[in-house]
Amino acid sequence: GNSVTQMEGPVTLSEEAFLTINCTYTATGYPSLFWYVQYPGEGLQLLLKATKADDKGSNKGFEATYRKETTSFHLEKGSVQVSDSAVYFCALSDPMNYGGSQGNLIFGKGTKLSVKP
Amino acid sequence: EADIYQTPRYLVIGTGKKITLECSQTMGHDKMYWYQQDPGMELHLIHYSYGVNSTEKGDLSSESTVSRIRTEHFPLTLESARPSHTSQYLCASSEVGGSGNTIYFGEGSWLTVV
């Protein structure tokens, strides 16, 4: 079945460090891929997405490239800030082309990032 | 910014009580979802709907029930709460069709059953 595997946390970095959070997926068909972020006490917000192979999603200095050959969608940021401390979720959308399940998100387990000043 | 609202945000109730978590969205989305987030952060889809009078069970079995009488409203009900229902419940919505549609989340309802 479809699944997402992302690196376990917590990840602790110093401010201005480089960030990589690994994400790989298993899916039939051609899913869309997403990164969501959850700040403490809040719901999830879309950070970026990519809908086809080789697409790069980017937002707020974060970026991730849809790599079909390695089934990966790693999240990167060149210089993290304290305000980036949050939980990051990689997700894929159900690529099945029938019924109401199309578009349902399957999430990885989340990676907690703490950035120290 | 997404316009999806959940109430209550925080609730502590006793075992055996009935509880309804409210969710409303003003974006006109046909598709709505409920996710359960356990203390270890994992998110599991428990219910979804792709329009009025449609409800489907998600990937994780849940004792909760949902209804969809109006497009903008998707309440979740627990008839008899138990401590195992303690969790955060996230409501979400999106347009129908295509796997690339963004799903917008509410801020969540934290439920504690004592």
Side-chain angles (χ1 to χ4, degrees), chain A residues 47-87:
Chain A
L47 183 58
L48 52 84
K49 70 178 183 182
T51 57
K52 60 182 188 295
D54 300 325
D55 269 1
K56 177 186 283 188
S58 60
N59 185 27
K60 299 180 182 179
F62 292 89
E63 59 182 34
T65 301
Y66 188 159
R67 300 285 188 202
K68 187 168 180 288
E69 62 276 13
T70 54
T71 61
S72 65
F73 193 55
H74 305 321
L75 182 69
E76 296 182 337
K77 186 175 186 183
S79 176
V80 294
Q81 305 300 312
V82 172
S83 57
D84 294 326
S85 297
V87 180

Side-chain angles (χ1 to χ4, degrees), chain A residues 36 41 49 93 100 102 104, chain B residues 9 31 35 37 99-100 102-103:
Chain A
Y36 279 81
K49 70 178 183 182
S93 68
Q102 185 184 41
N104 289 359
Chain B
R9 289 291 316 279
K31 198 162 183 186
Y35 281 85
Q37 185 171 27
S99 66
T102 297
I103 296 181

